[in-house]
């Protein structure tokens, strides 16, 4: 399952639609109104949208941006892998949750849009779900989440982020 999650995350990274030609709006000022997107986001059933918690969640790591929070009730597999590169500080963490993959993706979509990130990609493959969002700047913040059914009825989640330069 971890191999599938990594492959999906890498695939989403290759679909990065950011461009330096399109200037990024001030992420703080525009947090309440995310930038318009020509992409049609994956529709979330009403039950899934209602199930997505909007409470204050714990950050995935000490340096993680607000949109990269742990899903409430997450059972962390291990500490976040963190690095700093041209796109700023970033990281990746894996965890499991009792929530369905659709609810997990809806939670991260809500957080990304509230932070002013625009949808880049969304994917449904079987019961697995993936979503990515990013700033329009090439070195801006980004988020990728892959959620798939795992062992024991739990959902296995891989969350990756970059805070931006």
């Amino acid at each position: 399952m971890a191999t599938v999650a990594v492959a999906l995350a890498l695939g989403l990274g290759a679909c990065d639609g950011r461009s330096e030609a399109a200037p990024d709006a001030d992420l703080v000022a525009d947090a309440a109104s995310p930038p318009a997107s020509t992409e049609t986001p994956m529709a979330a059933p009403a039950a899934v949208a209602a199930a997505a918690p909007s409470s204050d969640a714990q950050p995935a790591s000490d340096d993680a941006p607000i949109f990269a929070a742990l899903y409430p009730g997450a059972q962390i597999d291990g500490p976040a892998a963190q690095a700093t590169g041209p796109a700023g500080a970033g990281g990746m963490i894996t965890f499991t949750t009792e929530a369905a993959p659709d609810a997990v993706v809806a939670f991260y979509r809500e957080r990304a849009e509230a932070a002013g990130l625009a949808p880049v990609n969304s994917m449904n493959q079987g019961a697995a779900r993936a979503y990515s969002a990013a700033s329009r700047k090439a070195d801006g913040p980004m988020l990728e989440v892959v959620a798939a059914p795992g062992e024991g009825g739990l959902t296995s989640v891989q969350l990756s982020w970059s805070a931006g330069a």
Side-chain angles (χ1 to χ4, degrees):
M1 184 56 66
T3 304
V4 171
V6 170
L8 289 172
L10 291 175
L12 285 174
C15 297
D16 190 343
R18 297 180 282 184
S19 168
E20 290 187 58
D24 190 23
D26 182 6
L27 291 176
V28 175
D30 290 342
S33 58
S37 171
T38 58
E39 179 179 294
T40 304
M42 179 175 60
V48 171
S54 60
S55 65
D56 292 329
Q58 297 294 323
S61 74
D62 291 339
D63 296 333
I66 193 163
F67 56 82
L70 291 173
Y71 190 88
Q75 300 165 8
I76 301 170
D77 295 336
Q82 296 180 274
T84 300
M92 180 183 80
I93 194 165
T94 59
F95 60 89
T96 57
T97 179
E98 293 180 1
D102 284 326
V104 172
V105 167
F107 173 81
Y108 287 105
R109 178 182 289 119
E110 179 182 302
R111 295 188 78 82
E113 289 175 358
L117 302 181
V120 173
N121 196 7
S122 61
M123 183 210 67
N124 295 349
Q125 182 162 353
R129 302 291 183 257
Y131 171 78
S132 64
S135 164
R136 298 213 185 272
K137 288 179 18 179
D139 60 352
M142 58 76 68
L143 167 117
E144 294 177 351
V145 62
V146 178
E151 295 179 17
L154 297 174
T155 295
S156 177
V157 180
Q158 178 181 312
L159 175 65
S160 303
W161 68 89
S162 170

